[in-house]
Amino acid sequence: MSDRPLTLMAVHAHPDDEATGTGGVLARYAAEGIRTVLVTCTDGGCGDGPGGVKPGDPGHDPAAVAAMRRQELEASCEVLKISDLETLDYADSGMMGWASNDAPTSFWQTPVAEGAARLAELMRHYQPDVVVTYDENGFYGHPDHIQAHRITMAAVEMTTLTPKVYWTTMPRSAMQRFGEVMREFGDDMPEPDPAEAAALAKIGLPDDEITTWVDTLAFSGQKFDALAAHASQGENIFFLKMGKEKFGELMGLETFVRVQDTTGAALPENDLFAGLR
């Protein structure tokens, strides 16, 4: 028998993604004694600056934003009791279509083989039993999320490891409720136009295509506090407006699609480590 601890590796694009998509499982499995490893691929420099200054606006300093977000990331990891933080520190590419997509140092412009080789070294070091990242579309089409997916899947191929691999997702049954709550707590939030509504309707998956439903309600307070640690980023303010109880109701279940497995654990499952313990 190996003395190596069971290990979860989550590969995310930016500081704060770890809390939004996987804060519940990271906190839950850390509490269960599982080693939790977070790999954050970019520096988050295309995020909001102090006072909400947007990228491209006067006074926005990507280097200063990246330094601030690193501090926030470390605080979030402390809240979630993450065992190990690894940062690849590629330049944030910004949203799809931004000029920053074309920067030679951006994550989006990084050859997949290069990023995958760096990640593969981390995989060989930590030997994760479970790896979590995004689907081919990066869940909602962000270039850095797409690139995180690409390097993760390539890195797994580069190693001799056989972890269970999961992609984050949301059940379509929850998306309508999610939109209702967003409008309830965002008083100035307009109704989405038809094109936006159609795009939102494609996010996530039909319930019967989701393989893994993990109850993280008991850890939703930690997830809330981890998001609060990223206070500089305006997109998190909505989640914080609703308070911990409502947040737990909406965000206390995390769902995934299992795309690689050698355990034969039956589906659907309620544990990323089903078949491993």
Side-chain angles (χ1 to χ4, degrees), residues 121-139:
E121 281 302 304
L122 293 175
M123 289 182 176
R124 293 184 189 104
H125 175 72
Y126 289 106
Q127 298 183 48
D129 302 280
V130 172
V131 173
V132 176
T133 191
Y134 316 101
D135 63 18
E136 303 101 317
N137 191 46
F139 185 62

PDB file of all heavy atoms in Angstrom, residues 121-139:
ATOM      1  N   GLU A 121       4.559  18.234 -15.533  1.00  0.00           N
ATOM      2  CA  GLU A 121       5.560  18.129 -14.471  1.00  0.00           C
ATOM      3  C   GLU A 121       4.905  18.217 -13.099  1.00  0.00           C
ATOM      4  O   GLU A 121       5.278  17.488 -12.164  1.00  0.00           O
ATOM      5  CB  GLU A 121       6.615  19.222 -14.632  1.00  0.00           C
ATOM      6  CG  GLU A 121       7.662  18.916 -15.697  1.00  0.00           C
ATOM      7  CD  GLU A 121       8.389  17.604 -15.409  1.00  0.00           C
ATOM      8  OE1 GLU A 121       8.967  17.464 -14.305  1.00  0.00           O
ATOM      9  OE2 GLU A 121       8.357  16.702 -16.278  1.00  0.00           O
ATOM     10  N   LEU A 122       3.932  19.105 -12.958  1.00  0.00           N
ATOM     11  CA  LEU A 122       3.216  19.208 -11.684  1.00  0.00           C
ATOM     12  C   LEU A 122       2.404  17.941 -11.412  1.00  0.00           C
ATOM     13  O   LEU A 122       2.329  17.473 -10.273  1.00  0.00           O
ATOM     14  CB  LEU A 122       2.302  20.437 -11.691  1.00  0.00           C
ATOM     15  CG  LEU A 122       3.010  21.798 -11.732  1.00  0.00           C
ATOM     16  CD1 LEU A 122       1.983  22.923 -11.866  1.00  0.00           C
ATOM     17  CD2 LEU A 122       3.858  22.000 -10.483  1.00  0.00           C
ATOM     18  N   MET A 123       1.819  17.383 -12.449  1.00  0.00           N
ATOM     19  CA  MET A 123       1.064  16.137 -12.274  1.00  0.00           C
ATOM     20  C   MET A 123       1.985  15.001 -11.837  1.00  0.00           C
ATOM     21  O   MET A 123       1.629  14.198 -10.958  1.00  0.00           O
ATOM     22  CB  MET A 123       0.326  15.777 -13.562  1.00  0.00           C
ATOM     23  CG  MET A 123      -0.840  16.681 -13.879  1.00  0.00           C
ATOM     24  SD  MET A 123      -1.708  16.160 -15.388  1.00  0.00           S
ATOM     25  CE  MET A 123      -3.070  17.348 -15.401  1.00  0.00           C
ATOM     26  N   ARG A 124       3.154  14.923 -12.432  1.00  0.00           N
ATOM     27  CA  ARG A 124       4.090  13.871 -12.019  1.00  0.00           C
ATOM     28  C   ARG A 124       4.523  14.064 -10.568  1.00  0.00           C
ATOM     29  O   ARG A 124       4.739  13.086  -9.837  1.00  0.00           O
ATOM     30  CB  ARG A 124       5.302  13.876 -12.946  1.00  0.00           C
ATOM     31  CG  ARG A 124       4.987  13.467 -14.377  1.00  0.00           C
ATOM     32  CD  ARG A 124       6.243  13.383 -15.236  1.00  0.00           C
ATOM     33  NE  ARG A 124       5.901  13.189 -16.642  1.00  0.00           N
ATOM     34  CZ  ARG A 124       5.970  14.144 -17.561  1.00  0.00           C
ATOM     35  NH1 ARG A 124       6.394  15.352 -17.243  1.00  0.00           N
ATOM     36  NH2 ARG A 124       5.628  13.875 -18.815  1.00  0.00           N
ATOM     37  N   HIS A 125       4.644  15.310 -10.156  1.00  0.00           N
ATOM     38  CA  HIS A 125       5.053  15.597  -8.779  1.00  0.00           C
ATOM     39  C   HIS A 125       3.958  15.230  -7.781  1.00  0.00           C
ATOM     40  O   HIS A 125       4.205  14.551  -6.782  1.00  0.00           O
ATOM     41  CB  HIS A 125       5.423  17.073  -8.642  1.00  0.00           C
ATOM     42  CG  HIS A 125       5.734  17.493  -7.234  1.00  0.00           C
ATOM     43  ND1 HIS A 125       6.894  17.113  -6.583  1.00  0.00           N
ATOM     44  CD2 HIS A 125       5.023  18.234  -6.341  1.00  0.00           C
ATOM     45  CE1 HIS A 125       6.891  17.608  -5.354  1.00  0.00           C
ATOM     46  NE2 HIS A 125       5.773  18.294  -5.183  1.00  0.00           N
ATOM     47  N   TYR A 126       2.723  15.682  -8.062  1.00  0.00           N
ATOM     48  CA  TYR A 126       1.632  15.489  -7.097  1.00  0.00           C
ATOM     49  C   TYR A 126       0.880  14.177  -7.294  1.00  0.00           C
ATOM     50  O   TYR A 126       0.191  13.719  -6.386  1.00  0.00           O
ATOM     51  CB  TYR A 126       0.645  16.658  -7.182  1.00  0.00           C
ATOM     52  CG  TYR A 126       1.200  17.950  -6.632  1.00  0.00           C
ATOM     53  CD1 TYR A 126       1.582  18.991  -7.469  1.00  0.00           C
ATOM     54  CD2 TYR A 126       1.352  18.138  -5.261  1.00  0.00           C
ATOM     55  CE1 TYR A 126       2.089  20.180  -6.968  1.00  0.00           C
ATOM     56  CE2 TYR A 126       1.854  19.322  -4.743  1.00  0.00           C
ATOM     57  CZ  TYR A 126       2.218  20.335  -5.604  1.00  0.00           C
ATOM     58  OH  TYR A 126       2.726  21.507  -5.094  1.00  0.00           O
ATOM     59  N   GLN A 127       0.963  13.597  -8.485  1.00  0.00           N
ATOM     60  CA  GLN A 127       0.275  12.344  -8.804  1.00  0.00           C
ATOM     61  C   GLN A 127      -1.204  12.377  -8.406  1.00  0.00           C
ATOM     62  O   GLN A 127      -1.658  11.584  -7.578  1.00  0.00           O
ATOM     63  CB  GLN A 127       0.986  11.165  -8.130  1.00  0.00           C
ATOM     64  CG  GLN A 127       2.412  10.977  -8.600  1.00  0.00           C
ATOM     65  CD  GLN A 127       3.074   9.761  -7.975  1.00  0.00           C
ATOM     66  OE1 GLN A 127       2.493   8.680  -7.954  1.00  0.00           O
ATOM     67  NE2 GLN A 127       4.288   9.921  -7.468  1.00  0.00           N
ATOM     68  N   PRO A 128      -1.971  13.287  -8.989  1.00  0.00           N
ATOM     69  CA  PRO A 128      -3.377  13.412  -8.596  1.00  0.00           C
ATOM     70  C   PRO A 128      -4.186  12.171  -8.944  1.00  0.00           C
ATOM     71  O   PRO A 128      -3.992  11.543  -9.986  1.00  0.00           O
ATOM     72  CB  PRO A 128      -3.856  14.623  -9.399  1.00  0.00           C
ATOM     73  CG  PRO A 128      -2.945  14.668 -10.590  1.00  0.00           C
ATOM     74  CD  PRO A 128      -1.609  14.221 -10.062  1.00  0.00           C
ATOM     75  N   ASP A 129      -5.094  11.837  -8.047  1.00  0.00           N
ATOM     76  CA  ASP A 129      -6.054  10.758  -8.303  1.00  0.00           C
ATOM     77  C   ASP A 129      -7.267  11.282  -9.055  1.00  0.00           C
ATOM     78  O   ASP A 129      -7.948  10.523  -9.757  1.00  0.00           O
ATOM     79  CB  ASP A 129      -6.502  10.142  -6.976  1.00  0.00           C
ATOM     80  CG  ASP A 129      -5.335   9.603  -6.194  1.00  0.00           C
ATOM     81  OD1 ASP A 129      -4.879   8.494  -6.511  1.00  0.00           O
ATOM     82  OD2 ASP A 129      -4.858  10.298  -5.275  1.00  0.00           O
ATOM     83  N   VAL A 130      -7.538  12.572  -8.879  1.00  0.00           N
ATOM     84  CA  VAL A 130      -8.661  13.242  -9.540  1.00  0.00           C
ATOM     85  C   VAL A 130      -8.155  14.570 -10.086  1.00  0.00           C
ATOM     86  O   VAL A 130      -7.451  15.308  -9.389  1.00  0.00           O
ATOM     87  CB  VAL A 130      -9.825  13.486  -8.560  1.00  0.00           C
ATOM     88  CG1 VAL A 130     -10.896  14.361  -9.200  1.00  0.00           C
ATOM     89  CG2 VAL A 130     -10.429  12.170  -8.092  1.00  0.00           C
ATOM     90  N   VAL A 131      -8.499  14.857 -11.338  1.00  0.00           N
ATOM     91  CA  VAL A 131      -8.169  16.135 -11.973  1.00  0.00           C
ATOM     92  C   VAL A 131      -9.469  16.782 -12.433  1.00  0.00           C
ATOM     93  O   VAL A 131     -10.309  16.123 -13.058  1.00  0.00           O
ATOM     94  CB  VAL A 131      -7.217  15.944 -13.172  1.00  0.00           C
ATOM     95  CG1 VAL A 131      -7.024  17.258 -13.933  1.00  0.00           C
ATOM     96  CG2 VAL A 131      -5.871  15.391 -12.711  1.00  0.00           C
ATOM     97  N   VAL A 132      -9.624  18.062 -12.121  1.00  0.00           N
ATOM     98  CA  VAL A 132     -10.822  18.813 -12.503  1.00  0.00           C
ATOM     99  C   VAL A 132     -10.406  20.029 -13.316  1.00  0.00           C
ATOM    100  O   VAL A 132      -9.484  20.762 -12.933  1.00  0.00           O
ATOM    101  CB  VAL A 132     -11.611  19.275 -11.261  1.00  0.00           C
ATOM    102  CG1 VAL A 132     -12.798  20.144 -11.680  1.00  0.00           C
ATOM    103  CG2 VAL A 132     -12.097  18.089 -10.451  1.00  0.00           C
ATOM    104  N   THR A 133     -11.081  20.253 -14.450  1.00  0.00           N
ATOM    105  CA  THR A 133     -10.887  21.465 -15.233  1.00  0.00           C
ATOM    106  C   THR A 133     -12.185  21.767 -15.971  1.00  0.00           C
ATOM    107  O   THR A 133     -13.258  21.285 -15.581  1.00  0.00           O
ATOM    108  CB  THR A 133      -9.673  21.330 -16.176  1.00  0.00           C
ATOM    109  OG1 THR A 133      -9.365  22.617 -16.717  1.00  0.00           O
ATOM    110  CG2 THR A 133      -9.919  20.329 -17.291  1.00  0.00           C
ATOM    111  N   TYR A 134     -12.099  22.551 -17.050  1.00  0.00           N
ATOM    112  CA  TYR A 134     -13.285  22.943 -17.814  1.00  0.00           C
ATOM    113  C   TYR A 134     -13.488  22.027 -19.025  1.00  0.00           C
ATOM    114  O   TYR A 134     -12.604  21.256 -19.389  1.00  0.00           O
ATOM    115  CB  TYR A 134     -13.133  24.384 -18.323  1.00  0.00           C
ATOM    116  CG  TYR A 134     -12.598  25.353 -17.314  1.00  0.00           C
ATOM    117  CD1 TYR A 134     -11.260  25.746 -17.334  1.00  0.00           C
ATOM    118  CD2 TYR A 134     -13.417  25.884 -16.321  1.00  0.00           C
ATOM    119  CE1 TYR A 134     -10.753  26.639 -16.406  1.00  0.00           C
ATOM    120  CE2 TYR A 134     -12.920  26.783 -15.377  1.00  0.00           C
ATOM    121  CZ  TYR A 134     -11.593  27.153 -15.425  1.00  0.00           C
ATOM    122  OH  TYR A 134     -11.091  28.032 -14.501  1.00  0.00           O
ATOM    123  N   ASP A 135     -14.659  22.206 -19.675  1.00  0.00           N
ATOM    124  CA  ASP A 135     -14.917  21.479 -20.911  1.00  0.00           C
ATOM    125  C   ASP A 135     -14.252  22.192 -22.101  1.00  0.00           C
ATOM    126  O   ASP A 135     -13.556  23.199 -21.932  1.00  0.00           O
ATOM    127  CB  ASP A 135     -16.421  21.303 -21.129  1.00  0.00           C
ATOM    128  CG  ASP A 135     -17.175  22.627 -21.288  1.00  0.00           C
ATOM    129  OD1 ASP A 135     -16.539  23.669 -21.578  1.00  0.00           O
ATOM    130  OD2 ASP A 135     -18.407  22.627 -21.123  1.00  0.00           O
ATOM    131  N   GLU A 136     -14.483  21.685 -23.304  1.00  0.00           N
ATOM    132  CA  GLU A 136     -13.813  22.217 -24.504  1.00  0.00           C
ATOM    133  C   GLU A 136     -14.111  23.691 -24.744  1.00  0.00           C
ATOM    134  O   GLU A 136     -13.315  24.400 -25.367  1.00  0.00           O
ATOM    135  CB  GLU A 136     -14.220  21.445 -25.757  1.00  0.00           C
ATOM    136  CG  GLU A 136     -13.966  19.938 -25.699  1.00  0.00           C
ATOM    137  CD  GLU A 136     -15.226  19.153 -25.392  1.00  0.00           C
ATOM    138  OE1 GLU A 136     -15.991  19.605 -24.503  1.00  0.00           O
ATOM    139  OE2 GLU A 136     -15.435  18.100 -26.017  1.00  0.00           O
ATOM    140  N   ASN A 137     -15.263  24.156 -24.296  1.00  0.00           N
ATOM    141  CA  ASN A 137     -15.651  25.554 -24.479  1.00  0.00           C
ATOM    142  C   ASN A 137     -15.307  26.402 -23.261  1.00  0.00           C
ATOM    143  O   ASN A 137     -15.726  27.553 -23.180  1.00  0.00           O
ATOM    144  CB  ASN A 137     -17.152  25.654 -24.789  1.00  0.00           C
ATOM    145  CG  ASN A 137     -17.565  27.032 -25.258  1.00  0.00           C
ATOM    146  OD1 ASN A 137     -16.899  27.621 -26.115  1.00  0.00           O
ATOM    147  ND2 ASN A 137     -18.653  27.552 -24.712  1.00  0.00           N
ATOM    148  N   GLY A 138     -14.543  25.837 -22.333  1.00  0.00           N
ATOM    149  CA  GLY A 138     -14.198  26.607 -21.146  1.00  0.00           C
ATOM    150  C   GLY A 138     -15.408  27.020 -20.341  1.00  0.00           C
ATOM    151  O   GLY A 138     -15.409  28.053 -19.676  1.00  0.00           O
ATOM    152  N   PHE A 139     -16.464  26.223 -20.427  1.00  0.00           N
ATOM    153  CA  PHE A 139     -17.762  26.422 -19.781  1.00  0.00           C
ATOM    154  C   PHE A 139     -18.554  27.546 -20.436  1.00  0.00           C
ATOM    155  O   PHE A 139     -19.718  27.382 -20.735  1.00  0.00           O
ATOM    156  CB  PHE A 139     -17.621  26.683 -18.270  1.00  0.00           C
ATOM    157  CG  PHE A 139     -18.942  26.776 -17.549  1.00  0.00           C
ATOM    158  CD1 PHE A 139     -19.800  25.692 -17.519  1.00  0.00           C
ATOM    159  CD2 PHE A 139     -19.331  27.938 -16.914  1.00  0.00           C
ATOM    160  CE1 PHE A 139     -21.030  25.772 -16.875  1.00  0.00           C
ATOM    161  CE2 PHE A 139     -20.555  28.024 -16.265  1.00  0.00           C
ATOM    162  CZ  PHE A 139     -21.399  26.942 -16.242  1.00  0.00           C
TER     163      PHE A 139
END
